[in-house]
Amino acid sequence: MSKIRVHALAKEIGITSKELLLKLNELEISVKNHMSTLDSAEEEKVRKLYKKSSSKNESPVKNENSNKKRDKSKKNNPNKEKQSEKKLDNKTSKKENKDINSQKEKDVEKTPNNKKNKKNKSKHKDNKDDKDDKNNSFKRDLTKKKPKKKVKSRHRVEEEDKGDDSIIVIAPITVKDFANQLGVSVSTVITKLIGLGVMANQNQSIDEDTCILLADELGIEIEIEAPNLDQSVEEEYGLLKEDKERDLKPRPPVVTVMGHVDHGKTSLLDSIKKTHVTKSEAGGITQHIGAYTVNLSGKKITFLDTPGHEAFTSMRLRGAQTTDIAILVVAADDGVMPQTLEAISHARSADVPIIVAITKIDKPEGNPERVKQELMNENLVPEEWGGDTIVVGVSSKSGEGIDDLLEMILLVAEMKELKANPNRRAVGTIIEANLDKAKGPMATILIKNGTLRFGDAVVSGTCSGRIRAMEDDKGKRVKKAGPSMPVVILGLNDVPNAGDTIYAVNDDKTAKTIADKNKEISREKRLSQTTKISLDNLFEKISEEDVKELNIVVKGDVKGSVEALNQSLLKLSTEEVKISVIHSGVGGINESDVTLASASNAIVIGFNVRPNINAIELAKTEDVEIRTYRVIYEIINDIEQAAKGMLDPDIVEEILGRCEIRQTFKLPNNQMVAGVYVLSGKILRNSKVKVLRDDVVIHEGDIASLKRFKDDAKELATGFEGGLVIDGFNDIKEGDLLESYIMKEVERS
């Protein structure tokens, strides 16, 4: 059954909401206010009533108008009556002219000049008095005694004149914004709220019902409009406008260099640029993300040199697809290493083409063919072996193969048809950002689309500002930067997040408004943060059709176990959910694994390995689930039961703390005492302990004794030292980590 609000029906009929409310009360139709709804039967009843009254009142209105005309014509000129009745369309203007003319004729015929002057003087005097009255009333409004009453009454008169014109309010809304939209003071709104029993300050939000009650109290008509939840801030302010095909022009490719530590990433870039970047870095290792542009036969290529690939994933994690091509650097003398495998996983997850650069081919111990064979095992088949992966052998020292690599980059870029519109406001990505003591917040940005100019107002997440200075990758001051060009900018009010998108906008006010809105959105997200996928909520997510694929990051102690586990997990795929191992490797669970899992909404499974402290902290921040196991069948069983919604973990591990073995002592009874320093949490005397060597579990058992100096201790807190004996285990070394934990029963909600 269709319903209509009171104010909407009043607007259609052509009367005020107040009049309609009175009429509805006479008809014994129960309504509370102008926002109340009427069903179709009540609506029809009202419409019929007003149709009848309008037809009855038609002739009286005409008679009344004609009477008024006659009265005026009798006073002014009786001969003009017929003319005014004939021309109804121009009735008002003609009538005024005729009144003035007839009055002038009477003045000329009946009165002498002095009387005429007196009359004119009296008219001027009257007009002057009227003006004085108006001025006086205006002055009275500006007095300090009763300004609010005057403003309020005038506001209500305006509302009555407008009739049913309502103010659109999007709820929920802050008290301050609500007051501004209604044109009343914040203190008035807060007073009314207190009267309604709601204690709120000007920055707190009020819901739809409270808005309606407040408007009713203030005697102002409002119309509640639901916020468009699907529309992002960028869409709301038109920052994501699409470019027309005719405006797009070719742009340089953005290339990310990734690979294992000390495989020659920066040396390769150094050779390409003919500069010495490594000399300025600590220990010859890249400590930050650098963005550089090189020219090759008139064509430009932008390189991103990253420390490993953490930043590469962080950018993708925040939704900024910056890289067009990934160069995987593998040393000919070292081969495919664990970090190389992680880099492959990250590049595949980001869905970018991979070009393999085999470095150090000039070394005698280098074996490029072995590297190609190892790449085959990771499904990167070289082109000369019938695959589609471009593999180029290069030497950073001699420069061999550098030109071939650059040509391959340009070839892949040409195949991708990379284009951008330089004639629009700039959109870029924050590559890195820092706070300089002298210059303030600095950000290295890569322009994705448009042209960024000196003096542009910009916004990135919760940061905004105006560009006060802009430098290119060579440190030269520039006035503008086009697509795929990296620049360092100054002028933001705060340090932005790496990976965030930066937009150029119309003015500072717009930038600040967008930044404030992003702050509010991020605050709401923190308050109502949705949990990421875990084995506990897997079945629920499948039922809601939020998950069709379960991504898993697998880490183990030996390669054979990892391969066996991968094969077993892939067999668990069902019609409801597909199991996908996005990365697997040997060694402890590190930050990179957690970052990849967070970006891909995956869970991390460790087999006989443990996460390091940094990985644990990052997992808490990113809400990533890490599960560790000692038996392979438990992993398979848990995931199988989770997919069916039958997982019931009654007992879970609760990690209490970690300590490091600083020194070892041997007792006369051949027991080994570990002199420990507590790194985090606390070590309890009655807890269990895991011995970790390179983040791999080598033993799991009970604590036999715990001492602080010579006294027995129940626990050791963070920052304290003590002695510890592990029951039945003496194979401890300096540098080993001990993880204290208890088994805890947890009821599932």
Side-chain angles (χ1 to χ4, degrees), residues 66-82:
S66 60
N67 289 335
K68 283 181 182 177
K69 287 175 197 171
R70 285 195 196 98
D71 291 340
K72 285 184 181 178
S73 60
K74 279 175 186 177
K75 287 178 185 176
N76 299 327
N77 196 344
N79 296 326
K80 302 288 178 181
E81 189 180 348
K82 290 181 182 178

Side-chain angles (χ1 to χ4, degrees), residues 331-563:
D333 61 338
D334 212 1
V336 175
M337 299 296 284
Q339 217 171 356
T340 312
L341 299 176
E342 289 177 3
I344 293 168
S345 301
H346 284 246
R348 279 180 175 157
S349 190
D351 195 24
V352 292
I354 299 171
I355 297 174
V356 179
I358 302 175
T359 56
K360 305 180 183 180
I361 57 170
D362 53 344
K363 280 195 171 185
E365 62 271 23
N367 187 354
E369 297 302 314
R370 179 175 67 87
V371 173
K372 289 177 185 177
Q373 185 63 49
E374 288 175 351
L375 290 169
M376 281 273 291
N377 298 334
E378 302 303 323
N379 294 324
L380 290 175
V381 184
E383 283 184 329
E384 60 262 35
W385 290 7
D388 55 2
T389 303
I390 298 170
V391 179
V392 183
V394 295
S395 171
S396 300
K397 285 188 177 179
S398 64
E400 183 187 345
I402 298 292
D403 291 337
D404 293 338
L405 179 64
L406 295 175
E407 282 177 16
M408 289 297 109
I409 291 168
L410 291 174
L411 178 66
V412 173
E414 194 177 328
M415 295 293 288
K416 287 193 78 174
E417 295 183 351
L418 304 168
K419 290 182 179 180
N421 178 15
N423 303 314
R424 57 161 286 173
R425 293 193 182 278
V427 178
T429 303
I430 307 288
I431 302 300
E432 65 176 348
N434 64 292
L435 184 65
D436 189 271
K437 288 182 180 179
K439 298 177 181 178
M442 296 177 66
T444 304
I445 66 170
L446 185 69
I447 310 299
K448 290 170 65 179
N449 204 359
T451 301
L452 187 68
R453 291 177 172 81
F454 174 80
D456 279 357
V458 291
V459 59
S460 175
T462 58
C463 306
S464 63
R466 184 176 286 276
I467 294 176
R468 294 188 286 106
M470 195 158 52
E471 294 179 357
D472 64 7
D473 58 307
K474 297 167 187 69
K476 293 179 182 177
R477 288 286 178 102
V478 290
K479 293 289 183 184
K480 62 178 183 178
S484 298
M485 182 176 173
V487 285
V488 178
I489 62 164
L490 299 176
L492 291 171
N493 63 349
D494 202 357
V495 181
N497 294 322
D500 279 1
T501 305
I502 186 167
Y503 299 95
V505 293
N506 296 328
D507 48 43
D508 294 337
K509 189 179 177 182
T510 307
K512 194 174 184 307
T513 306
I514 295 169
D516 290 343
K517 205 152 193 175
N518 283 330
K519 280 179 188 174
E520 193 179 332
I521 289 167
S522 80
R523 181 178 170 275
E524 286 174 4
K525 277 184 180 177
R526 281 199 307 272
L527 293 173
S528 60
Q529 194 172 16
T530 54
T531 54
K532 290 193 177 180
I533 193 72
S534 67
L535 288 188
D536 292 331
N537 65 10
L538 177 61
F539 183 72
E540 186 184 334
K541 295 279 185 184
I542 294 167
S543 304
E544 293 171 1
E545 296 185 354
D546 289 342
V547 175
K548 291 182 180 176
E549 187 174 8
L550 174 62
N551 295 324
I552 300 175
V553 175
V554 177
K555 295 300 284 286
D557 54 346
V558 291
K559 195 169 183 180
S561 300
V562 172
E563 287 177 356

Side-chain angles (χ1 to χ4, degrees), residues 589-606:
I589 297 165
N590 54 35
E591 291 171 271
S592 178
D593 300 320
V594 177
T595 308
L596 178 60
S598 180
S600 309
N601 197 16
I603 62 170
V604 183
I605 287 177

